[in-house]
Amino acid sequence: MNILVLNGSPRPDGNTAALVNAFLEGAAENGHKVTVVPVCQRKIGGCLACEYCHTKGNGKCIQQDDMQEIYPLLEEAEMIVLASPIYYHSFTGQLQCAINRIYALDKPKNLKKAALIMSSGSNHVFCGAIFEYQNSFLNYLNLKDMGIYSAYGKENKSEAKLNELRTFGRKLK
């Protein structure tokens, strides 16, 4: 399976990256092709709501930024994984910009599955991100939920959590 991970963490070696890397290991062992895009290291503007993509653009965004590199990956992906630290009850702003810009494609043609990976320092901050993922992202794109994985506090980078993500990757069908 062709899997695209949008990693919304600004920390290349942070907790979210550790969880993503563990997932990547397991998925690679299972023969999946995984592409990780660190969206915080890209220049991705927010949606301008100009409707160019749905009028004159034929599914192409008018903004010529790094999202142009991600669109072909989205079109090829069969599964998308949203990964983000949760700082204030939701995804990072950088990840949210990338998610909003998927609008230009409307519904990527091969995308059938999704998963969510989150990290935080606290336990009771995940609800906003989970709500958006389940009630907006999955429903609108008609994606099968393959799982929600979270780690907080001492769980971050713990061998138990990393093994949980490796196992998830290994068991994907």
Side-chain angles (χ1 to χ4, degrees):
M1 179 170 23
N2 193 340
I3 303 169
L4 174 62
V5 178
L6 297 179
N7 181 353
S9 176
R11 298 179 180 168
D13 298 315
N15 296 325
T16 304
L19 297 170
V20 166
N21 288 336
F23 166 74
L24 181 91
E25 288 173 30
E29 286 176 27
N30 195 5
H32 298 295
K33 177 187 173 201
V34 182
T35 304
V36 179
V37 177
V39 297
C40 293
Q41 280 74 50
R42 303 290 191 271
K43 291 194 183 284
I44 300 172
C47 178
L48 300 174
C50 66
E51 288 297 324
Y52 176 85
C53 58
H54 294 285
T55 55
K56 301 174 192 166
N58 294 319
K60 296 195 186 327
C61 182
I62 197 165
Q63 295 185 74
Q64 297 301 306
D65 59 10
D66 291 341
M67 194 67 190
Q68 297 303 325
E69 299 167 18
I70 299 171
Y71 286 131
L73 300 172
L74 278 162
E75 288 286 46
E76 295 168 7
E78 298 162 272
M79 179 175 171
I80 188 167
V81 177
L82 303 178
S84 184
I86 306 301
Y87 296 143
Y88 200 71
H89 308 285
S90 194
F91 305 125
T92 60
Q94 297 93 326
L95 179 58
Q96 192 63 59
C97 283
I99 291 169
N100 289 350
R101 294 279 297 284
I102 295 172
Y103 177 71
L105 299 176
D106 191 32
K107 297 178 181 174
K109 60 185 174 197
N110 294 314
L111 207 52
K112 304 288 185 257
K113 300 174 182 178
L116 178 60
I117 298 173
M118 303 173 290
S119 65
S120 182
S122 299
N123 185 20
H124 302 288
V125 297
F126 298 114
C127 293
I130 292 170
F131 183 86
E132 182 177 344
Y133 170 74
Q134 291 176 328
N135 296 296
S136 181
F137 195 75
L138 291 177
N139 287 344
Y140 181 75
L141 293 174
N142 195 29
L143 302 176
K144 180 179 179 184
D145 181 14
M146 301 307 290
I148 298 173
Y149 297 86
S150 63
Y152 70 94
K154 292 181 181 179
E155 288 181 340
N156 285 304
K157 295 186 181 177
S158 72
E159 203 52 41
K161 271 297 169 184
L162 298 177
N163 282 333
E164 182 181 349
L165 271 294
R166 285 184 196 102
T167 301
F168 169 50
R170 283 185 199 113
K171 290 185 174 182
L172 271 178
K173 295 187 191 281

